[in-house]
Amino acid sequence: MIPGKFEYHAPETLADAVALLGQYGEDGKVLAGGHSLLPMMKLRFAEPAHLIDLNRIKDLRGVRDGGNKVLIGAMTVENDLIAADLLWAKCPLVPEAAKQIADPQVRNRGTIGGDVCHGDPGNDHPAIMIAVDATFVVVGPEGERKLPANGFYLGTYWTQLEESEVLTEIQIPAFNDNTGWAYHKLKRKTGDWATAASAVVLELDGDVCSRVNIALTNVGPTALKAEEAEAVLAGQVVDENLIEQAAQKAMAICDPAEDLRGDVEYKTHMAGEMTRRAIRQAVQRARG
Amino acid sequence: MAATADTLERENKLEGIGCKRKRKEDGRFIQGKGSYVDDVKLPGMLFADFVRSPHAHARIKSIRKERALALPGVHAVLTADDLKPLNLHWMPTLAGDTQAVLADEKVAFQMQEVAMVVADDRYIAADATELVEVEYEELPAIVDPHKAMDADAPVIREDIAGKAEAGQGKREHPNHIFSWEVGDKDGTDRAFEAAEVTVAQEMVNQRVHPCPLETCGCVASFDKARGELTVYITSQAPHVVRTVVSMLSGVPESKVRIISPDIGGGFGNKVGVYPGYVVAIVASIVLGRPVKWIEDRTENLSTTAFARDYHMVGELAADKDGRIKAMRVNVLADHGAFNAHAQPTKWPAGFFSVCTGSYDIPYAHARVNGVYTNKAPGGVAYRCSFRVTEAVYVIERMIDVLAQKLGMDPAEIRLRNFVKKEQFPYQSALDWEYDSGDYETALRKVMEAVDYPALRKEQAEKRSRGELMGIGLCTFTEIVGAGPSKACDILGVGMFDSAEIRVHPTGSVIARMGTITQGQGHQTTYAQIIASELGIPSEEIQIEEGDTSTAPYGLGTYGSRSTPVGGAATAVAARKIRDKARKIAAHLLEVSENDLDWEVDRFKVKGVPGQEKTMKEVAWAAYNNVPEGMEMGLEAVDYYDPPNFTYPFGAYLCVVDIDKHTGETKVRRFYALDDCGTRINPMIIEGQIHGGLNEAFAVAMGQQLVFDEAGNILGNTLMDYFLPTFVETPHWELDHTVTPSPHHPIGAKGVAESPHVGGIPCFSNAVNDAFAHLGVTHVDMPHSAYNVWKTVHRLGLDKPSAA
Ligand SMILES: Cc1cc2nc3c(=O)[nH]c(=O)nc-3n(C[C@H](O)[C@H](O)[C@H](O)COP(=O)(O)OP(=O)(O)OC[C@H]3O[C@@H](n4cnc5c(N)ncnc54)[C@H](O)[C@@H]3O)c2cc1C
C-alpha cells in the first residue's frame, strides 16, 4: 500500500500545468482529489513519475451561472456541488447524484473533473454527464477543445482526452420547467460503487415525452447511453408498459463484468430495475 | 440494614457495580491520544515488509535477493533458509500443528509469507519487496474443503504427509487434520429411528475475518548488551506470547518483556502468534536494532487468522408436538493450510458441543472433521467463545427448520423445548453443566415487548399481497469464561486468570490483571468491581494490563473470559484485602473482628454509632499501625481458576422487509434481550451489545472471504469486505433480565460476545422466514442483496409490475 517513487509538482496556473504535462508526456499525470489515482498508485497499478497537482489553480474551482447553462470548474469537489444552490436550481440531477457518490470524506476531496476524466465505468458522473447533455472544455498545448460527454468515453480508463490535455470546465444546459430527472443507484453500502445505476432526464409536453436521455453506470466498459430505451419513450405518453419496454431495452445493452457485487445476470436485472425506478420518478417530477 | 440517605450517597460516590459511569479510557481515545503499536518509535528502528506468494499452491524453485540487498537502505532479506539454522523456519501452533514462519520449499496459500525485507523505512522496504525474485512452479490448489480428502487430492502438507497425526488425533488422509466426536451415538441413532419427525439441513458458516480496525503488528527490540528482548505487540494474550517467544527464541522468559499497548480491536484476530512477529524478533536479534512490522489492511484480511468456515449438516428428531428427542451434527471444518486455530489445546472444535443450545434435548451426537485447504490458516473465535457462533447457528436454524416442517410457530416450538428454570444447574446431553438461566421468561418478555402476535398477523397480510416480510427469533445460550483448568489449557498452561491489587497509604489503588482490554473497557469495569468490594471510588482506582513485566500472569482476553475469570480474580483479591482491612480496623477500634459490620466504605462497630473506620483510614494505618505479628501493607493477588464456565443467554427478535426487485433487506426492528447475570456497568454493556450486534449484522448480511477456483483471494479490501457504518446499521432496541451466575463471586457472566453469537442466527432466521411460506427451508449467509435476489429470482417473485 505504498506507491512507487514520483516527483510532485504544484503549478499555480493552468498554463503552467499544461506546460508541465507537455514536458513530461506519458510520465506525467494530473492530480485532482486523488481518490481514484492515489489508490491505484498505492497498489502500484499506476506508477506515474510526475504528479501535477491542480489544487492550487483557483480558476478551476466553483460553479458559475452561464445564463441558459451552468458552468462547473473541473476542480469543484463533490461536497461543493451538493452545496451549490445554483445547481439545485438549474441542474438538480448533478448534486443529487453527487450525494450518492462515495462517502463524506471522499466527497470532500474528490472532484467532478477527476470523476469524469478517470474513465472508470463505476464512476457516477459519466452517466450523469451524458444524461444532462454536458460539454467538456479541455485545454492542451494546442489550445481549447469542446467535447460532448456523449461520445467522450471510448473504453475503460480510455477517453477522448489527450495525455497533454486538462479538463477545465463542464457546461450543462439548464433544465426547463417541464424537465424531470432521477438517478437510481443500487449499492451494497455507503462508499460503494454502483452494482448498477440509471440516470434519466426527460421533458414532457403535456403528457407526451418530448425528449429523453437514459444513461447507465457500471454495466459495461464505459457509461452506456441507452438509445433504444430512449426511443421507446420518445414521443409517447409514458405508462408502465412503455417503462417496462424501455427497461428491457436498457438491459439488452448491458455488458457488465462479474465481480463480488454480482454476476452478469444480476447486474443486468438491476440496471433494468434502476431504469424503471428512474423513469417513474423522472416522469413524476416532470409533471411537477 | 436499611439503606439510609447517607449510605446511598456514599455508595453513589463509589461509582461501583451497577453504575453507568463513563469509561475511563475514553478521554484519551476521543482525543486521539491512545497509544498503539504503530505509535511506538524507538531510536534506530528499522521496518519490515513481506514478500508474499502470488500463488495459492506452488513449489519455490529459487529465491534471489541480490537486487533487493543492493537497494540503499536495505539491511536484510530473510528467507526460510536463513531461519533454518535457528530452527525458527517453522513454529508450533496453538493447535498442536506446525506452521511455516517463512515458506519452506513451497507455499500453501496465496499471500503466504515468503521472505522478509528489513530496511531503514517502510517505503524502502516496500520497494525492496518488489526486487526479491522468487521463481515458483505452480501446483493444483484445493479450495473446496469437500474435495480435500479425495483420493487424488494434491497433498498440501508434504512436511507431515506420512504422519499418522497432526497434534489432534488420528488422520485418515494427508489433508485430514483431525476427527472429533462427542455424545451418545447409538442413543442418538435410536432416537432418530424412533422419531415421528426428522429434519436435516446443510448449512455453511462462511469464512469471515474479524477485521479489527487496527491491523496486527509489532515492534521487536533486542538489547544485545543486556540480553533482553522487548516486544510491543497487538496481542490479546501477552503472557502466553511471552512463554511462546521464550520457548522459540531460547531467551529466558524473565528476559522477555511483552507489552500490549492500546489495542484497536481484536475479536479473536490477535490471539495467535504470527510469522510477522517471529521474523521481526529474529531480525532484531540478528541486526541488534528494533524492528517494526505492521500489516496493511489487505494483508490482515488475507493472512492473519480468519474465523468460521464450518460446513455443517444439522439434524433434529422430534415428536409431532415438536418436542425434540435428539440432535445430530456433522461438520467439515476448513482450517486452511496450517492448523492454527486458537482454542484451548484439548478442544479441536472448541466448545462446539454446546450446540444443543437452550433446549432440553435428551440425545445428541456431534462430529467435526478438520481438513487442510490452500487458504490462510486460522479458525479463531470471532467475537465469540470457541466455535460457539457455529454451534448456536446450527441449533437456532435447525429449530426453525423443524418448526416449519411441523407447521408450528418458531416461538411456540422454542417454548416447548426450553431447559426449564428449575432444571439448573442443567446437565446437557453433550456434557456441559449450564450454571443458571431462565429462558422462558426472557422470550416471553421479548414477545410481549414487540407484540409478537401482531407481527405475525401483519406478516400474514403481507404474504397474501405477495410482499416479503420475515420475523427471526434466536434464543441462544453461550458458554464463556474459559475455563476451569481441568478442562482448559493453552500449551499446558491452565486457563486461570489473575489480579493483583495494591492499596496505597492514601487509599488510592493500582490493580493489574492478566487480561488485556481491546475496547471492552476493563479500566472502568474492573475499577468498579474493586470500588464496590473495597469502598474506594472507582475514579481513584488505576487499572493496568498488557505489560508482562508488571502484570501477573494471565491467559488474556478472548472468549468473553475477562469478567468471568479476570473479574472473579479481581473480586476475590479485593476480598482478601478487605479481610486484612477488617483485622486492622478491629485493631484500631480495639474490638474483635466479629464486632464489626462492613458498610459501603467503612467498618462500623455493631451497635455503637460513630465508632467506625473508613477504608481510607485503614489504608493509612496499614502502613504504620497494624496488629502485632501482621505484615505491613495492603495488597493481594489472586489466581482464579473458575469452577465452571458461565452461560449467558438471550432472546432476540428481528423483523425484515425484503425488496423483491433488488434483494435488499431492510432490518425494520431488532429487539435484543440479554441476560449476563450481574450487570457491572450497564452503559458499557449496552455499548458492547451494540458493537456485537453490528458485527453480527456484518456477518449475516455481507461478510465473506471469497476465493476463486485457483485459490486467489477475492474481496480482501474494505471496498468488498463488509464493515457496516452507521448508515447501514439498524436501530437496536435493548432489554435485559438478570439471572446471576451462582458460582461467580459477583454473579457476572460476560456479555460482549452474546450479541454476535445470538445476532447472526437471528438475522438469518428472519431472512429465511421471509421465504418460509414458499417452501424454502434454508439459504446460506451472507444475505447480501445479490444472494437474496438469487432466491427471489429463482422463485420468480421479481416479475416487474407491468410484465
Ligand atoms: C472509498 C471510495 C469510494 C468511491 N465511490 C465512488 C462512487 O460511488 N462513485 C464515483 O463516481 N466515484 C467514487 N469514488 C471515486 C471518487 O469519486 C474520486 O474522487 C473520483 O473518481 C476521481 O476524482 P479525483 O478528483 O479524486 O481525481 P484523481 O484521483 O486525482 O484523478 C483521477 C484521474 O483523473 C485525472 N484527472 C483528474 N482531474 C483531471 C483534469 N481536470 N483534467 C484531466 N485529467 C484529470 C487524473 O490524472 C487521474 O487519472 C470513490 C473513491 C473512494 C476512495
Side-chain angles (χ1 to χ4, degrees):
Chain A
M1 288 304 276
I2 290 172
K5 270 198 173 26
F6 59 88
E7 287 290 320
Y8 173 80
H9 308 268
E12 308 265 346
T13 65
L14 180 62
D16 288 350
V18 172
L20 283 165
L21 262 185
Q23 185 181 339
Y24 295 116
E26 61 180 22
D27 289 340
K29 201 110 187 83
V30 160
L31 174 70
H35 273 297
S36 288
L37 184 53
L38 296 187
M40 294 185 86
M41 289 170 63
K42 286 182 177 182
L43 294 168
R44 302 200 177 193
F45 293 158
E47 297 201 52
H50 295 272
L51 269 193
I52 299 154
D53 187 348
L54 301 182
N55 280 281
R56 295 205 187 162
I57 308 173
K58 295 198 183 60
D59 301 347
L60 295 183
R61 216 177 277 275
V63 181
R64 288 182 298 131
D65 196 345
N68 57 357
K69 283 187 217 157
V70 190
L71 312 175
I72 305 175
M75 288 297 291
T76 310
V77 300
E78 306 291 350
N79 277 346
D80 287 345
L81 299 177
I82 295 167
D85 291 341
L86 188 65
L87 280 176
W88 286 107
K90 294 207 167 179
C91 187
L93 181 61
V94 172
E96 185 168 285
K99 284 172 87 171
Q100 300 179 54
I101 290 177
D103 52 47
Q105 289 95 318
V106 172
R107 295 198 290 263
N108 214 28
R109 294 290 299 179
T111 66
I112 187 169
D115 199 282
V116 301
C117 289
H118 193 48
D120 184 335
N123 278 2
D124 293 297
H125 280 304
I128 300 296
M129 294 300 113
I130 291 169
V132 298
D133 286 325
T135 301
F136 299 149
V137 182
V138 305
V139 174
E142 265 95 73
E144 188 181 284
R145 297 199 287 160
K146 283 191 177 175
L147 304 166
N150 188 17
F152 182 72
Y153 296 99
L154 304 175
T156 301
Y157 304 126
W158 181 27
T159 68
Q160 290 199 352
L161 197 72
E162 299 290 339
E163 245 155 36
S164 54
E165 284 177 324
V166 176
L167 171 72
T168 56
E169 189 174 82
I170 296 165
Q171 306 184 338
I172 302 175
F175 286 8
N176 296 319
D177 287 344
N178 61 344
T179 306
W181 73 93
Y183 188 54
H184 279 256
K185 174 178 178 179
L186 179 70
K187 54 181 174 177
R188 296 172 298 180
K189 57 180 178 181
T190 189
D192 196 16
W193 274 272
T195 302
S198 179
V200 173
V201 177
L202 50 74
E203 283 176 16
L204 289 188
D205 243 344
D207 272 340
V208 176
C209 177
S210 51
R211 239 169 58 85
V212 55
N213 281 342
I214 301 177
L216 309 175
T217 298
N218 220 10
V219 282
T222 65
L224 303 176
K225 189 159 198 291
E227 281 164 1
E228 289 184 27
E230 293 165 359
V232 170
L233 305 182
Q236 304 291 326
V237 177
V238 179
D239 61 13
E240 271 300 311
N241 251 319
L242 287 185
I243 292 175
E244 187 49 37
Q245 285 176 35
Q248 295 296 336
K249 294 286 185 199
M251 286 164 67
I253 62 165
C254 292
D255 179 21
E258 174 169 359
D259 59 22
L260 296 179
R261 291 182 185 85
D263 60 9
V264 170
E265 192 187 11
Y266 179 58
K267 290 183 170 188
T268 303
H269 275 85
M270 291 310 99
E273 182 60 20
M274 294 302 111
T275 301
R276 282 180 203 112
R277 292 178 185 190
I279 298 171
R280 283 184 204 126
Q281 190 180 19
V283 168
Q284 209 174 27
R285 280 172 163 166
R287 288 194 180 125
Chain B
M1 193 185 352
T4 62
D6 166 58
T7 54
L8 267 181
E9 195 193 318
R10 281 192 274 125
E11 203 169 313
N12 287 341
K13 268 200 194 132
L14 298 181
E15 299 188 303
I17 292 174
C19 174
K20 287 188 174 195
R21 60 154 296 158
K22 286 194 176 145
R23 302 202 322 168
K24 291 173 153 224
E25 36 275 271
D26 287 343
R28 69 177 189 279
F29 288 147
I30 62 179
Q31 294 178 73
K33 298 264 167 68
S35 178
Y36 300 89
V37 165
D38 205 15
D39 294 321
V40 173
K41 292 186 181 69
L42 300 178
M45 188 168 75
L46 303 174
F47 291 79
D49 201 352
F50 275 120
V51 176
R52 295 181 178 278
S53 169
H55 307 295
H57 200 190
R59 217 170 286 291
I60 297 176
K61 302 193 71 179
S62 68
I63 303 179
R64 295 177 59 89
K65 342 174 171 171
E66 293 77 6
R67 287 180 61 216
L69 285 170
L71 188 72
V74 173
H75 291 257
V77 177
L78 299 172
T79 65
D81 285 344
D82 299 307
L83 301 184
K84 223 175 248 173
L86 306 166
N87 201 25
L88 283 175
H89 54 317
W90 289 80
M91 63 177 180
T93 69
L94 295 179
D97 196 1
T98 51
Q99 174 175 357
V101 173
L102 290 172
D104 185 18
E105 295 181 15
K106 66 184 273 193
V107 288
F109 65 92
Q110 192 185 40
M111 289 193 67
Q112 187 179 341
E113 303 80 1
V114 174
M116 184 182 258
V117 174
V118 186
D120 277 337
D121 61 42
R122 51 175 51 133
Y123 312 102
I124 297 172
D127 287 346
T129 58
E130 295 203 327
L131 300 175
V132 177
E133 294 157 301
V134 188
E135 198 187 333
Y136 297 96
E137 177 195 324
E138 270 192 81
L139 299 168
I142 300 176
V143 179
D144 179 356
H146 292 281
K147 296 190 178 145
M149 302 236 284
D150 285 357
D152 58 348
V155 175
I156 295 174
R157 293 291 299 284
E158 284 161 6
D159 58 302
I160 53 163
K163 292 201 174 150
E165 69 145 286
Q168 283 179 325
K170 219 167 110 319
R171 309 196 306 146
E172 286 154 20
H173 183 285
N175 293 330
H176 184 219
I177 310 173
F178 66 85
S179 227
W180 179 79
E181 60 182 308
V182 278
D184 175 354
K185 184 169 184 308
D186 294 341
T188 305
D189 288 348
R190 276 195 303 275
F192 267 87
E193 274 157 33
E196 291 170 343
V197 186
T198 63
V199 284
Q201 183 63 55
E202 265 185 68
M203 59 186 74
V204 181
N205 261 106
Q206 76 275 19
R207 182 175 274 238
V208 293
H209 195 280
C211 196
L213 280 189
E214 180 202 27
T215 60
C216 298
C218 71
V219 179
S221 176
F222 184 67
D223 182 328
K224 275 195 168 160
R226 293 192 168 84
E228 291 173 4
L229 174 67
T230 303
V231 189
Y232 299 84
I233 192 169
T234 50
S235 176
Q236 295 178 237
H239 301 272
V240 181
V241 169
R242 186 183 62 182
T243 303
V244 173
V245 166
S246 170
M247 284 168 150
L248 288 178
S249 67
V251 181
E253 205 167 347
S254 53
K255 290 194 170 189
V256 180
R257 182 178 183 188
I258 304 292
I259 301 173
S260 284
D262 284 333
I263 296 182
F267 312 116
N269 182 231
K270 293 171 180 168
V271 173
V273 171
Y274 294 121
Y277 305 155
V278 177
V279 195
I281 289 169
V282 173
S284 177
I285 293 175
V286 171
L287 297 169
R289 291 175 63 173
V291 175
K292 180 183 273 189
W293 168 73
I294 305 283
E295 286 182 311
D296 69 26
R297 176 62 57 197
T298 297
E299 292 177 299
N300 178 250
L301 285 172
S302 314
T303 68
T304 48
F306 75 91
R308 320 275 148 81
D309 223 344
Y310 258 34
H311 303 249
M312 314 190 275
V313 180
E315 292 176 83
L316 290 178
D319 66 18
K320 287 209 186 73
D321 297 328
R323 283 196 181 74
I324 303 172
K325 301 295 181 191
M327 177 184 200
R328 201 154 46 197
V329 195
N330 249 300
V331 182
L332 181 66
D334 182 342
H335 282 235
F338 307 97
N339 187 21
H341 72 150
Q343 328 271 355
T345 302
K346 291 190 213 87
W347 300 88
F351 306 147
F352 184 75
S353 50
V354 76
C355 61
T356 55
S358 307
Y359 313 106
D360 189 12
I361 302 179
Y363 290 97
H365 180 253
R367 188 204 311 266
V368 180
N369 264 296
V371 295
Y372 293 120
T373 59
N374 288 110
K375 297 179 208 159
V380 297
Y382 168 9
R383 204 171 186 139
C384 62
S385 196
F386 314 101
R387 300 295 187 186
V388 173
T389 303
E390 291 90 326
V392 170
Y393 188 74
V394 73
I395 181 64
E396 287 301 311
R397 264 303 22 252
M398 285 314 299
I399 200 164
D400 272 20
V401 171
L402 177 62
Q404 190 180 351
K405 173 132 183 189
L406 291 166
M408 196 177 278
D409 185 276
E412 179 54 34
I413 198 165
R414 284 174 166 81
L415 291 167
R416 282 190 196 178
N417 285 287
F418 277 148
V419 175
K420 303 260 172 319
K421 193 174 163 186
E422 315 79 69
Q423 287 174 280
F424 292 93
Y426 170 78
Q427 198 72 33
S428 81
L430 295 181
D431 239 15
W432 299 106
E433 188 185 296
Y434 292 18
D435 59 348
S436 63
D438 184 356
Y439 304 148
E440 182 173 340
T441 301
L443 178 56
R444 289 206 187 277
K445 198 170 174 203
V446 171
M447 289 168 72
E448 201 159 303
V450 301
D451 195 352
Y452 185 72
L455 282 173
R456 286 290 176 198
K457 187 157 164 272
E458 182 193 348
Q459 182 184 42
E461 286 162 12
K462 290 222 155 115
R463 282 178 172 170
S464 71
R465 291 200 299 268
E467 292 170 39
L468 294 172
M469 167 182 167
I471 303 168
L473 285 172
C474 176
T475 45
F476 63 93
T477 294
E478 256 222 298
I479 169 171
V480 308
S485 62
K486 60 180 188 299
C488 302
D489 69 87
I490 286 187
L491 298 174
V493 183
M495 292 185 72
F496 62 85
D497 227 292
S498 61
E500 178 203 272
I501 306 175
R502 296 180 187 170
V503 184
H504 304 310
T506 53
S508 69
V509 171
I510 185 151
R512 299 188 171 101
M513 286 79 185
T515 49
I516 168 75
T517 191
Q518 312 126 38
Q520 295 90 338
H522 289 181
Q523 286 162 358
T524 311
T525 306
Y526 285 146
Q528 290 184 253
I529 295 175
I530 298 172
S532 288
E533 294 291 341
L534 291 186
I536 292 168
S538 56
E539 197 52 40
E540 294 172 33
I541 298 168
Q542 190 72 11
I543 304 295
E544 285 183 7
E545 301 173 291
D547 183 341
T548 57
S549 283
T550 56
Y553 201 104
L555 277 285
T557 293
Y558 41 85
S560 275
R561 59 189 305 284
S562 296
T563 296
V565 192
T570 303
V572 172
R575 286 172 191 178
K576 289 179 186 171
I577 289 177
R578 204 167 75 198
D579 286 346
K580 180 171 180 182
R582 176 185 289 270
K583 292 193 170 71
I584 298 172
H587 163 72
L588 296 175
L589 293 161
E590 296 178 356
V591 294
S592 118
E593 272 182 67
N594 298 332
D595 294 332
L596 294 177
D597 278 330
W598 168 253
E599 189 201 86
V600 183
D601 57 354
R602 61 197 59 191
F603 294 100
K604 290 183 139 182
V605 179
K606 285 179 186 155
V608 191
Q611 282 284 45
E612 56 185 40
K613 287 288 171 197
T614 65
M615 184 55 94
K616 290 216 164 181
E617 289 169 317
V618 172
W620 183 254
Y623 291 85
N624 57 39
N625 181 11
V626 296
E628 219 178 287
M630 183 185 272
E631 280 178 23
M632 292 250 175
L634 198 55
E635 57 181 74
V637 185
D638 189 70
Y639 285 77
Y640 188 84
D641 185 4
N644 190 5
F645 299 85
T646 63
Y647 296 77
F649 63 94
Y652 291 178
L653 180 139
C654 172
V655 184
V656 299
D657 297 299
I658 292 175
D659 183 325
K660 285 191 295 186
H661 300 292
T662 62
E664 288 170 295
T665 299
K666 185 164 171 33
V667 176
R668 190 204 310 173
R669 210 163 171 194
F670 198 103
Y671 197 94
L673 180 148
D674 272 282
D675 191 319
C676 59
T678 302
R679 292 160 67 84
I680 301 166
N681 184 324
M683 187 195 69
I684 289 186
I685 290 173
E686 286 182 12
Q688 291 295 318
I689 291 172
H690 281 195
L693 289 174
N694 287 354
E695 280 184 327
F697 175 72
V699 168
M701 310 310 277
Q703 291 188 342
Q704 184 168 22
L705 295 176
V706 185
F707 294 81
D708 69 11
E709 280 171 12
N712 297 305
I713 180 165
L714 311 175
N716 51 3
T717 72
L718 293 188
M719 183 51 74
D720 287 312
Y721 194 74
F722 181 46
L723 275 200
T725 68
F726 86 108
V727 177
E728 291 79 27
T729 305
H731 174 69
W732 311 118
E733 296 170 74
L734 306 190
D735 197 351
H736 64 273
T737 54
V738 177
T739 311
S741 167
H743 63 77
H744 186 278
I746 60 166
K749 287 188 170 185
V751 71
E753 300 177 335
S754 300
H756 190 72
V757 168
I760 292 171
C762 193
F763 289 113
S764 195
N765 281 346
V767 173
N768 275 291
D769 184 62
F771 296 103
H773 61 302
L774 302 167
V776 175
T777 55
H778 174 82
V779 283
D780 275 325
M781 300 182 290
H783 304 298
S784 62
Y786 173 34
N787 284 341
V788 171
W789 180 83
K790 282 188 222 165
T791 304
V792 167
H793 191 60
R794 180 167 55 77
L795 298 171
L797 306 174
D798 60 335
K799 299 256 167 1
S801 44

